[in-house]
Amino acid sequence: MKKSLLLIAVLALSPAAFADDNAAKLALAREAISAMQADKMFDGMAAQMKQMAAQQTRLPASATPEQIKQAEELQGKILDLSMSEAKAMIGKMDAIYASVYSEAELKAMVAFFKSSEGQSMMAKQPQVMAQMMPLIQGMQQSLMPKIQKLVEETKAAAKPAAP
């Protein structure tokens, strides 16, 4: 009987202990994400994406000033919407981090990103991204003809042979 009561007591307390552990881990995940300055990283990406989008958007030479203005406004609205959604995603990252990383890993992340080396790394991320953008753009430009060729080959293979 005593063993049964002890087992029931342990089982009854387990969810409460798990909830406390989960809440503590979520708080630790939030602290890690905050230390990584995820919101600032998205702000930096927004500026670079805006610049990249402006370079990639080519209106015809015959575009009127009004059409150019409308295209720029649309581009701005799309970017703002995208960044708003990305920042909302930051609010959901804590649950993901808490489910993927152990408490020890989260503590190590917090310690690193709060250290002078971690802060230096975060401060230099815009420089890294600025240097990566031309590489990404070059990759996209070299991939486009290859992708178009694959699409054309797939379409040609799908056509029935002429009788």
Side-chain angles (χ1 to χ4, degrees):
M1 180 72 175
K2 287 183 182 179
K3 287 183 180 179
S4 298
L5 287 174
L6 181 60
L7 180 61
I8 291 170
V10 167
L11 290 174
L13 293 176
S14 292
F18 177 74
D20 287 344
D21 286 348
N22 196 34
K25 208 170 168 188
L26 274 172
L28 198 51
R30 280 188 202 103
E31 187 178 357
I33 292 164
S34 175
M36 285 187 276
Q37 302 173 2
D39 56 336
K40 287 183 184 177
M41 189 169 47
F42 279 111
D43 289 341
M45 285 179 10
Q48 291 173 348
M49 287 173 55
K50 186 178 255 183
Q51 181 182 10
M52 193 169 90
Q55 291 171 352
Q56 289 181 345
T57 304
R58 295 195 176 108
L59 294 174
S62 62
T64 66
E66 182 61 27
Q67 289 171 324
I68 293 170
K69 182 182 174 192
Q70 287 175 343
E72 288 172 351
E73 287 175 359
L74 175 61
Q75 199 173 54
K77 287 177 184 178
I78 291 170
L79 185 62
D80 290 346
L81 179 62
S82 298
M83 286 298 106
S84 173
E85 290 296 316
K87 283 191 172 191
M89 186 178 66
I90 293 172
K92 299 173 185 172
M93 286 172 56
D94 57 355
I96 295 168
Y97 273 50
S99 72
V100 172
Y101 296 110
S102 70
E103 188 173 334
E105 290 168 327
L106 290 168
K107 285 180 180 178
M109 280 187 228
V110 170
F112 173 73
F113 285 110
K114 286 187 174 184
S115 72
S116 60
E117 294 84 0
Q119 292 295 307
S120 175
M121 180 189 151
M122 296 309 300
K124 293 175 181 176
Q125 278 304 111
Q127 292 172 322
V128 170
M129 290 304 295
Q131 292 182 34
M132 297 262 320
M133 282 300 172
L135 296 174
I136 293 168
Q137 289 172 336
M139 180 190 71
Q140 289 174 333
Q141 289 174 352
S142 71
L143 272 176
M144 286 312 293
K146 294 172 187 174
I147 291 170
Q148 288 171 341
K149 182 180 177 189
L150 285 173
V151 169
E152 290 169 11
E153 289 172 355
T154 302
K155 285 181 182 179
K159 288 184 182 177

